[in-house]
């Protein structure tokens, strides 16, 4: 009896300390059933991030493979989009030679507008509809790639009203659910990153502001990153496009963290392409900032420096992967009003029949003021960015983070001979209310700033950007 009682007591003791996981505990199973009978309430902010990007292929001369790619994809009728300047240059020739060698049927649309608007988007879309293409190749900078994305979309949804897919509040922000045709991007500038993103930007002339279409479905099927194409860029073009890379990396690195972004989506399909800074996007931003530190000046002032220009070309793609998932914020948000309200400024190195503030120039104009402003929200990030851009480890005080990064940005701008603020682009203080008005619809971007801001704050940023040095 004593032995039997000991066995019973031992079994009870084992039971009291045994595993409580669902596989071994009836009590835990009961708890699990209760937990799964009702959906938990959504948190106030997001709790996850996604990483998506086009496939990319990098290498000198890689453009020669594009004809074989078309054969491998079994396409029959290709639309090649470019602009009137590039159509005469080696990048387009390399694409067409490869298509011809591989007996791929194609038609060329060379009327892409540098800094496109809604009219030029729809003209390209009409060309695509008339051609009934089964694939697209975009050869050019952001203007060409973004135009090609839009043409693909509106060809595939011919009944859509133009504003259906345009970002709210200007458009209706309709989700892209129609299947799109394959699109291969061959970037020729070292800035846009559009070969990796699901964003298509244009000037909406009725409001004198830039806006765009944003959808993961717009991402190119893949990008061919050929550093040889960077050798064709004039000095001012690589300068301005390089500052687009510069701000892509800085803005994505200093954006609001993904788990502080509101609202939390009720369905993962509703999670936006621009999600806030996150550990993976940070990797690409850091890479791009290191490359800018090492190669930016060399790439601008040495046109035949393949190492420097090739690395800057790669940095553009890397920063594109980063900001294509993290997003950008105030520099880009303010830039859309700047370029949309251009008066008579015409940038050197750009052959256009209309006034033009190149995108990278409009973006960097406010950068010193913006990063001084946002530094109080995440000073460690601003100090790290400053270190990456200079290669020096800093023991700076957090209270000095904004001034330190702003001064570094100014030094880069001065080295690259960037115009001295908005006043040099033809603006004065009387234009600020219109510039603020053009920024307000850019909430898709501005809400990603780590520091909250008001209309008064935007006004002050424009005022501080009237002169830079």
């Amino acid at each position: 009896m004593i032995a039997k009682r000991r066995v019973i007591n031992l079994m009870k003791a084992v039971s009291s300390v045994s595993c409580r996981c669902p596989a071994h505990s009836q009590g835990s199973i009961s708890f699990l059933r209760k937990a799964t009978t009702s959906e938990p309430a959504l948190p106030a902010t997001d709790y996850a991030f996604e990483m998506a990007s086009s496939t990319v292929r990098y290498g000198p001369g890689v453009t020669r493979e594009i004809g074989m790619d078309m054969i491998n994809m079994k396409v029959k009728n290709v639309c090649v989009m470019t602009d009137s300047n590039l159509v005469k240059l080696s990048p387009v020739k390399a694409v067409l030679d490869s298509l011809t060698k591989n007996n791929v049927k194609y038609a060329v649309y060379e009327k892409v507008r540098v800094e496109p608007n809604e009219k030029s988007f729809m003209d390209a879309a009409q060309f695509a509809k008339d051609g009934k293409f089964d694939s697209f190749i975009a050869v050019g900078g952001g203007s060409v790639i973004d135009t090609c994305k839009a043409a693909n979309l509106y060809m595939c949804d011919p009944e859509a009203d133009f504003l259906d897919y345009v970002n709210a509040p200007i458009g209706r922000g309709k989700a892209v659910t129609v299947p799109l045709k394959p699109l291969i991007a061959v970037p020729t500038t070292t800035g846009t990153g559009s070969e990796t993103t699901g964003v298509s930007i244009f000037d909406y002339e009725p409001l004198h502001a830039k806006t765009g279409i944003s959808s993961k479905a717009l991402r190119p099927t893949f990008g061919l990153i050929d550093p040889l194409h960077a050798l064709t860029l004039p000095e001012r073009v690589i300068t301005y496009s390089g500052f687009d890379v510069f701000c892509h990396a800085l803005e994505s690195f200093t954006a609001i963290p993904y788990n502080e972004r509101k609202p939390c989506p009720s369905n993962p399909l509703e999670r936006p392409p621009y999600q806030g800074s996150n550990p993976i996007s940070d990797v690409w931003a850091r890479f791009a900032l290191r490359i800018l530190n090492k190669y930016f000046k060399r790439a601008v002032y040495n046109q035949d420096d393949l190492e420097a220009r090739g690395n800057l070309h790669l940095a553009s793609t890397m920063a594109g992967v980063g900001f294509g998932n993290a997003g950008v914020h105030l520099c880009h948000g303010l830039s859309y009003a700047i370029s949309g309200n251009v008066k008579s400024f015409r940038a050197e190195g750009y052959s256009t029949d209309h006034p033009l503030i190149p995108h990278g120039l409009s973006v960097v104009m406010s950068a010193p003021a913006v990063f001084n402003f946002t530094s109080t929200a995440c000073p460690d990030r601003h100090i790290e960015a400053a270190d990456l851009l200079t290669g020096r480890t800093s023991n700076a005080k957090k209270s000095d983070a904004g001034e330190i990064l702003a001064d570094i940005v100014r030094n880069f701008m001065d080295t690259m001979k960037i115009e001295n603020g908005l006043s040099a682009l033809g603006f004065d203080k009387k234009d600020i209310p219109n510039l603020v008005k053009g920024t307000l619809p850019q909430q898709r971007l501005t809400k990603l700033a780590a520091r909250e801001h008001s209309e008064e704050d935007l006004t002050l940023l424009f005022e501080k950007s009237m002169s830079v040095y």
Side-chain angles (χ1 to χ4, degrees):
M1 288 295 294
I2 294 174
K4 182 177 180 181
R5 199 161 35 242
R6 285 177 177 173
V7 171
I8 292 172
N9 289 339
L10 180 61
M11 291 176 66
K12 287 181 178 179
V14 171
S15 177
S16 68
V17 297
S18 63
C19 178
R20 298 290 181 178
C21 73
H24 301 101
S25 170
Q26 191 63 35
S28 295
I29 293 173
S30 174
F31 173 79
L32 186 62
R33 285 173 181 154
K34 289 178 182 177
T36 56
T37 54
S38 61
E39 288 292 327
L42 282 173
T45 59
D46 208 343
Y47 58 89
F49 68 91
E50 298 178 6
M51 286 298 298
S53 175
S54 307
T55 299
V56 296
R57 185 185 302 154
Y58 176 91
V62 74
T63 308
R64 71 172 66 95
E65 297 178 357
I66 199 165
M68 290 179 280
D69 289 320
M70 298 296 98
I71 295 295
N72 294 338
M73 295 166 67
K74 297 180 170 56
V75 301
K76 304 294 184 183
N77 187 22
V78 182
C79 176
V80 179
M81 288 203 167
T82 190
D83 65 43
S84 59
N85 296 312
L86 275 167
V87 75
K88 308 165 190 172
L89 300 179
S90 57
V92 173
K93 183 179 185 299
V95 169
L96 300 185
D97 284 351
S98 182
L99 294 177
T100 300
K101 179 180 178 181
N102 288 277
N103 298 311
V104 178
K105 179 184 176 183
Y106 67 85
V108 177
Y109 179 84
E110 60 185 76
K111 293 165 57 179
V112 169
R113 188 180 194 267
V114 178
E115 302 298 334
N117 56 28
E118 75 280 2
K119 295 174 185 175
S120 68
F121 264 19
M122 292 314 297
D123 187 75
Q126 189 59 52
F127 181 86
K129 291 174 185 177
D130 293 343
K132 299 179 180 178
F133 300 104
D134 62 4
S135 55
F136 292 83
I137 298 173
V139 190
S143 295
V144 172
I145 299 172
D146 287 3
T147 298
C148 200
K149 291 174 183 176
N152 189 4
L153 172 61
Y154 289 106
M155 183 195 77
C156 292
D157 190 1
E159 302 303 318
D161 179 78
F162 179 73
L163 288 177
D164 280 350
Y165 291 110
V166 174
N167 295 324
I170 291 174
R172 300 178 187 93
K174 178 182 174 182
V176 177
T177 57
V178 294
L180 304 187
K181 303 300 183 184
L183 192 163
I184 289 77
V186 185
T188 60
T189 60
T190 57
T192 175
S194 187
E195 67 273 11
T196 69
T197 74
V199 179
S200 176
I201 303 299
F202 67 96
D203 283 315
Y204 189 59
E205 292 195 331
L207 295 181
H208 299 285
K210 278 187 183 290
T211 183
I213 304 166
S214 179
S215 171
K216 297 170 186 176
L218 291 183
R219 282 192 174 92
T221 308
F222 68 89
L224 286 178
I225 319 302
D226 190 335
L228 295 180
H229 299 333
L231 299 178
T232 66
L233 293 174
E235 178 186 299
R236 288 294 87 189
V237 175
I238 198 165
T239 299
Y240 296 144
S241 62
F243 274 111
D244 198 17
V245 180
F246 192 94
C247 289
H248 284 158
L250 281 178
E251 289 175 75
S252 64
F253 192 62
T254 59
I256 189 172
Y258 75 93
N259 56 1
E260 294 180 16
R261 182 184 51 77
K262 300 178 182 179
C264 181
S266 59
N267 186 312
L269 287 175
E270 297 171 2
R271 184 165 285 116
Y274 288 180
Q275 302 163 77
S277 62
N278 60 76
I280 301 179
S281 284
D282 289 347
V283 172
W284 306 118
R286 288 186 177 102
F287 176 92
L289 292 172
R290 290 190 184 98
I291 291 296
L292 287 161
N293 171 37
K294 186 174 182 179
Y295 291 112
F296 195 3
K297 182 179 178 180
R298 276 177 55 183
V300 167
Y301 294 116
N302 299 279
Q303 185 169 2
D304 60 349
D305 189 337
L306 181 60
E307 179 187 0
R309 289 203 164 192
N311 272 281
L312 198 58
H313 208 44
L314 181 60
S316 173
T317 298
M318 295 297 199
V321 176
F323 91 83
N325 291 278
V328 288
H329 53 83
L330 287 173
C331 293
H332 273 75
L334 272 62
S335 80
Y336 292 166
I338 294 169
S339 56
N341 284 276
V342 60
K343 298 177 182 179
S344 58
F345 185 83
R346 293 175 184 266
E348 179 187 345
Y350 291 76
S351 300
T352 62
D353 58 0
H354 55 276
L356 171 71
I357 300 174
H359 176 61
L361 176 58
S362 69
V363 168
V364 79
M365 277 290 102
S366 67
V370 163
F371 294 115
N372 202 345
F373 174 78
T374 57
S375 65
T376 58
C378 47
D380 290 337
R381 287 261 164 167
H382 288 66
I383 291 172
E384 183 179 355
D387 291 345
L388 290 166
L389 284 169
T390 59
R392 297 188 296 270
T393 301
S394 172
N395 295 317
K397 296 178 181 178
K398 291 183 180 182
S399 58
D400 296 331
E403 282 293 346
I404 290 170
L405 184 54
D407 283 344
I408 289 169
V409 174
R410 286 190 195 95
N411 287 337
F412 270 90
M413 295 172 72
D414 185 41
T415 298
M416 311 304 175
K417 301 181 176 66
I418 292 295
E419 287 79 356
N420 187 15
L422 295 176
S423 59
L425 305 186
F427 296 100
D428 57 44
K429 289 190 176 181
K430 292 181 293 186
D431 297 309
I432 290 178
N434 276 338
L435 293 172
V436 172
K437 182 180 177 182
T439 302
L440 293 177
Q442 312 303 333
Q443 294 176 11
R444 180 180 64 90
L445 307 181
T446 58
K447 70 180 181 182
L448 290 170
R451 179 177 171 183
E452 292 186 2
H453 50 276
S454 62
E455 286 189 40
E456 290 75 18
D457 292 323
L458 296 177
T459 297
L460 191 59
L461 290 174
F462 280 118
E463 287 178 355
K464 290 184 174 180
S465 301
M466 280 294 162
S467 62
V468 175
Y469 311 118

